[in-house]
Amino acid sequence: MYNSSKKKQTVDQPLTQVETHGLLAYPHRLNFYDKAPLFDVTVEEFEICALDRLRILAEIESSAARNRTWEELKNVTETQCGKYLPLSANTAKSIRLDEQRRKDHLGHFVLRLAFCRSEDLRRRFIRAETTLFKVRYETDDYKERENFLSSRDFNWIPVSDEEKNQYKDRLFHGPINDDKIKAEKFYKVKWTRVPDLVEKRRVFLKGGFAYVPGREQSSIVFQEFEVQLGKALEMTARLLPRLDEDTRLVPVLDNLSQGFLAGVSSEWSGVLGSDNANEIKAEMIDDLARKHFPMCMRSLHESLRRDNHLKHFGRLQYGLFLKVLGLSVEEAIAFWRKAFSRITDDKFNKEYKYNIRHSYGLEGKRANYPAKSCLQILTPGPSEHGCPYRHYSAENLQSALLSTYSSQGLSSADLPEIMATVNAGHFHVACTRVFEITHASCGVSKGEGVGGGESVTHPNQYAARSMELAKPKVEEDAMVVD
């Protein structure tokens, strides 16, 4: 399914397909993924397709943790799909449909490899994938959806007019006539295939069969999708040991399997925006930390101010965060020199200045190092600084939240909701909720996240959005003073 070629093969390149004969290799927007992809891909494409899909699935799980309504979840999912995994209808013009659907197909199967490893990962993957399928099912073109359903054998039995008439008092509500009996469709399936409808008493049961009305047909489809995916994941888990010796793919799969832990962030490797470039000065950091930094960076800043020192990995993590925030190398040197006030200039120049310049790509191999994402902070090395939401005790976390953010509107009444997401393992959702609470005065409402419903997945994303929201207020205050 993959090859190790270094030559980039993007998902936008033309594909060899039967489209040249007026057909599509992927005729439907909806997919049960019951046929494995049998084409070569590069390791790069292997990872890109999976990451883009994982961004959507992680946001779906975050939405569930944040108790979003179905309509809110659907809107957020559609927005994410539009950015990372668009799937156009067959009627779309000037769109390479097979290329979109090929990427969707490949990404799903790569994530199967990553999430088949444990019962918990399989359960979470099935839930997120089924939700994504439901969103696509509801938003699909009616005719195309019917064509998809007709292309598969769902093993349901259409109920005849005679049988509908026989049980009409149990099947229909309100006035009943011949036209109504003929117009409304029903399907018979084993009752075990629609447990949700049985539980809600929305079907008539007879002889072990559930009589499912046409308006509830989707329940059969969703249940079939979920069951088939569960079986496929178990089979994949049994075959997975064959990949253990592949040094190219195992690290990729290990990284992907952490995706539900903190979402999937973009690489914030440069200055967040031109508006910040050359604007942030060393003397501004204290104020910025107090108003705009997430707790992980706020705690590093406070440790630095308290001890006039940070250990190597703390300096690296915080220094890269400040670099990406927009602090120039000259201002960074000035900031760290003032922070390390207990040492001499000679010691600072010999032991610390080089490392600061190195992190900016001005020494050593001159690499442009990115700042650490939430996922990297959530899974730190033994001597690195981790995420407070994950690594603080419950008592210390609540105390830290109140002492850090009470001046920005967070109160003890907000703690139960935040701690519930922490206890459920949704640490980035807890951070997102703190962002919403502390930025309510800027117009951020519950569920909005850092914009468009997105959750926090990177400390710089948190800080950048906070600073962006503050700008209109600063400009307004300046006009009042004038």
Side-chain angles (χ1 to χ4, degrees), residues 310-324:
L310 277 178
K311 292 183 179 180
H312 172 74
F313 286 109
R315 295 196 305 273
L316 179 63
Q317 184 171 311
Y318 191 43
L320 290 174
F321 168 80
L322 294 175
K323 165 195 162 185
V324 174

Side-chain angles (χ1 to χ4, degrees), residues 18-271:
V18 292
E19 195 173 17
T20 54
H21 301 289
L23 301 173
L24 288 168
Y26 299 93
H28 307 291
R29 182 171 174 265
L30 299 173
N31 194 340
F32 261 50
Y33 309 101
D34 43 11
K35 294 182 180 179
L38 301 176
F39 45 79
D40 289 342
V41 299
T42 63
V43 174
E44 181 181 12
E45 185 183 4
F46 182 94
E47 185 171 15
I48 288 173
C49 290
L51 281 171
D52 283 346
R53 188 182 194 87
L54 186 55
R55 286 186 172 94
I56 297 165
L57 299 186
E59 197 58 52
I60 286 174
E61 182 162 273
S62 295
S63 294
R66 294 162 73 178
N67 296 315
R68 284 182 171 140
T69 65
W70 173 250
E71 286 302 316
E72 290 172 337
L73 184 151
K74 189 164 67 172
N75 290 337
V76 169
T77 302
E78 286 188 271
T79 299
Q80 292 292 91
C81 285
K83 290 167 62 176
Y84 300 111
L85 196 60
L87 278 183
S88 304
N90 289 344
T91 53
K93 304 295 184 183
S94 304
I95 300 292
R96 294 179 177 180
L97 297 178
D98 265 345
E99 293 177 4
Q100 289 185 345
R101 297 171 188 183
R102 175 184 186 270
K103 178 180 179 181
D104 174 72
H105 192 208
L106 175 60
H108 171 87
F109 273 88
V110 175
L111 291 185
R112 275 194 193 181
L113 294 174
F115 288 97
C116 71
R117 303 173 172 199
S118 71
E119 180 63 34
D120 179 61
L121 287 175
R122 288 195 292 270
R123 176 179 52 80
R124 295 168 74 175
F125 181 68
I126 290 171
R127 186 169 55 209
E129 278 283 348
T130 302
T131 302
L132 176 59
F133 182 85
K134 288 179 180 179
V135 170
R136 289 174 171 174
Y137 186 93
E138 286 195 8
T139 58
D140 203 18
D141 175 82
Y142 174 79
K143 185 177 180 181
E144 292 184 25
R145 185 171 64 202
E146 290 300 306
N147 289 337
F148 168 75
L149 295 177
S150 300
S151 71
R152 300 187 59 86
D153 181 9
F154 287 95
N155 197 28
W156 52 42
I157 305 171
V159 179
S160 66
D161 289 344
E162 291 76 16
E163 198 170 1
K164 284 189 282 184
N165 193 61
Q166 182 181 357
Y167 301 116
K168 60 183 180 182
D169 293 336
R170 307 296 299 273
L171 296 176
F172 297 95
H173 300 282
I176 305 171
N177 54 47
D178 290 342
D179 290 338
K180 184 173 184 179
I181 291 174
K182 289 180 180 180
E184 191 159 351
K185 296 180 179 180
F186 284 84
Y187 303 89
K188 281 197 302 187
V189 295
K190 290 290 185 180
W191 71 269
T192 52
R193 293 181 58 191
V194 284
D196 57 327
L197 298 181
V198 173
E199 181 184 4
K200 297 173 184 175
R201 299 185 178 184
R202 295 167 75 169
V203 291
F204 167 56
L205 299 178
K206 179 70 175 179
F209 284 92
Y211 287 66
V212 181
R215 63 182 178 274
E216 304 287 0
Q217 182 186 33
S218 59
S219 288
I220 305 173
V221 179
F222 300 155
Q223 178 72 5
E224 186 75 7
F225 179 89
E226 188 171 327
V227 169
Q228 289 199 19
L229 180 55
K231 292 178 179 177
L233 283 170
E234 290 177 3
M235 181 179 295
T236 305
R238 290 195 295 269
L239 298 174
L240 190 65
R242 298 182 185 181
L243 280 178
D244 285 347
E245 296 180 2
D246 194 313
T247 56
R248 297 165 296 171
L249 296 188
V250 171
V252 174
L253 298 177
D254 287 341
N255 183 56
L256 290 171
S257 65
Q258 296 290 323
F260 282 143
L261 190 65
V264 183
S265 64
S266 300
E267 287 297 331
W268 297 77
S269 55
V271 175

